[in-house]
Amino acid sequence: MKIIVCIKQVPDTTEVRIDPVKGTLIREGVPSIMNPDDKAGLEAALRLKDELGAHVTVISMGPRQADTVLREALAMGADAAYLLTDPAFSGADTWATSSTLAAAIGKLDYDLIITGRQAIDGDTAQVGPEIAEHLGIPHISYCRDLKIEGDEIVVKRQFEDRYQILSAKLPALITALGEMNHPRYMTPGGIFDAYREKEVVIWSRNEVPVADGNIGLKGSPTRVVKTNPKMLKQPGTVIEAGVEESVQYVMAKLKEKYIL
Amino acid sequence: MDFNLSKEHLMAQQLFHDFAVNEVEPWAEQTDEEHRFPWEVVREMQKYGFMGIPFPKSVGGQGCDTLTYVLAVEEISKVCATTGVILSAHTSLAADAIFMHGTDQQKEQYLCPLAEGKKLGSFALTEAEAGTDAAGQQTKAVLDGEEWLINGSKIFITNAEVADIYIVFAMTDKAQGTRGISAFIIEKGTPGFSFGPPEKKLGIRGSSTCELIFENVRIPKDNLLGREGKGFGIAMSTLDGGRIGIAAQALGIAEGALEKTIRYVKERKQFKTPIAKFQNTQFSLAEMKTEIEASRWLVYNAAIKKDTSKSFSNEAAIAKLKASKVAGDVTRECVQLHGGYGYIQAFHVERMMRDAKITEIYEGTSEVMKMVISGNLLK
Ligand SMILES: Cc1cc2nc3c(=O)[nH]c(=O)nc-3n(C[C@H](O)[C@H](O)[C@H](O)COP(=O)(O)OP(=O)(O)OC[C@H]3O[C@@H](n4cnc5c(N)ncnc54)[C@H](O)[C@@H]3O)c2cc1C
């Protein structure tokens, strides 16, 4: 089985601020991370690899620095990595991004494509389904759980208050929810291999068979007119524990914050 | 000359940091308070290859290097020094002794499971009468046909009750003095091998520290590690490497205490102002940071020398002497900057202060480090 996982490098939004004048994200000094939904998608792929022996390829479109998240994916256990990077690709909206990724994926073999539900810096949730449309394969979004049955994938598709069980013939694309699993850590040896033994293959403009009108800023039909900052609420933490344990947890937190 | 960590070392450091914060720190207080071995944490470390970081893949290791191992001990000790020493004694004492001196057969049988994280290691040199004067070994090993017969006891042994594989030193020929000491590999469960009660300690309370008792313990002849009579040299050279791990533990403790203190002084208000606004606080933080950076580079230097130079004994002694002193000084100052709260368990720095002390004692006291360093100066 061959699996392709799409990964985006994003600024850690818990630390991101918005330029009050330009309305754009201030990225300087903000650490970059692997987009959390993508990481869950990668973990799902690696679990299939552990169970069924899949070959996992990770692919990203982005600047050269996105090399780091691909190495991280390799250090977690991915087998191959591709970085689509070229000034011509930059400034892409979801249409141009999905066109570029789909064209690159079209050069590779796959039975299953996994993307994250959405990137925490854009929150569109469009790129995954669009890739599937470009490639003419079925897709199932909001995957909370999955299994492979013969030549089909069976997916638990999560909504706020209910879920669906859907199946699709492979090859197919799914978009993964961050809540799907707890991604594994890298291993120290995996990190060394990622830098010393494995390779991140660079594909620039000419290696991706996509029309000029469908890439980068020029190939993007949508424009960000204005971004309005919203007061960020600290994300809550959900603790699943008994009464005794929860009370202890809360007490420890209050002490940690010097409230008690 | 390059003082920057490579990309792989930076990513490994990030991994160890995330692991320490998410998996180790939540257990640190309980580990200390209940004197409880943190099995939950150790199992996770075993799962992710942390127990074999500096060893080649051919012996079940991760194929990294001593610097990566040091980064692991450092990051983990920032939040829990008990977990730091479990990793350190396992890796740079027990496993490294077999890696440096074992036969291919011994490596396959004993080093692989240690490095793969399937088993835990321990290193037993100290005896009641043989501490700093490690040459005064009373434990005896006598060759009896195809077996060694071992009698005696070891005290203050880290990972004692929890380990599976032990490196044990014993006299094989008393008349030869230090040349009569040999090293052995002994497995838990060997008849006649038992443990004394766990020691109650000032710090690193979750680590297992016990007496090992050998009463007519018989082990195969092939479990001699290195050549007969070479045990003292094996012990000393292994301790050289171990000291780098302890220096990293000390470095981590100091950094962890400083981090907690920086947070605290920004929040704690007296005289209507955060205590961070007082120049005394600021200068104290600056001095601690400077001392920590000095020890950091000594520790990293010793780690790099272990992999690249023939001798690193002096560098290891210097790193441990400095880093352990800094850990003691910094943690005491951090308690001071916390005031009364620093003396209270929930604020962690009192634990760090108690934990720091051991780094000036085990794997050679600070006095021993000075003997090594001055010995090199005066030779
Ligand atoms: C928690 C803990 C864990 C330990 N883990 C291990 C382990 O895993 N394996 C192991 O083998 N051992 C272990 N040890 C033992 C440790 O290495 C020894 O305690 C240490 O080497 C000191 O020996 P000692 O306790 O006999 O002190 P002593 O040798 O009696 O020293 C007492 C004092 O005298 C000083 N001194 C001694 N000789 C001289 C001299 N010639 N000149 C100047 N000063 C001198 C010492 O520096 C020290 O200050 C552990 C100890 C502890 C407390």
Side-chain angles (χ1 to χ4, degrees), chain B residues 123 125-126 131-132 156-158 201 358 362-363 365 367 371:
Chain B
F123 175 97
L125 175 67
T126 305
T132 300
F156 301 158
I157 304 308
T158 301
K201 306 190 290 289
I358 190 62
Y362 58 16
E363 304 200 22
T365 60
E367 292 70 35
M371 290 183 218

Side-chain angles (χ1 to χ4, degrees), chain A residues 67-69 71-72 75 183-197 255-258 260, chain B residues 7-9 11-12 15-16 18-19 22-23 48 50 53 57 62-65 68 263-264 267 346-347:
Chain A
D67 179 81
T68 312
V69 286
R71 303 274 175 195
E72 191 181 333
R184 67 195 62 191
Y185 289 98
M186 300 177 276
T187 59
I191 293 172
F192 270 56
D193 286 351
Y195 278 103
R196 296 183 180 186
E197 317 260 315
K255 278 187 199 160
E256 195 185 300
K257 308 246 180 254
Y258 307 114
L260 286 184
Chain B
K7 285 181 176 168
E8 44 272 49
H9 288 113
M11 191 175 274
L15 161 66
F16 301 137
D18 292 347
F19 184 90
N22 296 325
E23 312 298 331
Y48 285 107
F50 287 19
I53 293 170
K57 287 183 196 157
Q62 293 286 306
C64 304
D65 52 20
T68 312
R263 260 188 66 189
Y264 183 77
E267 298 195 9
F347 290 80

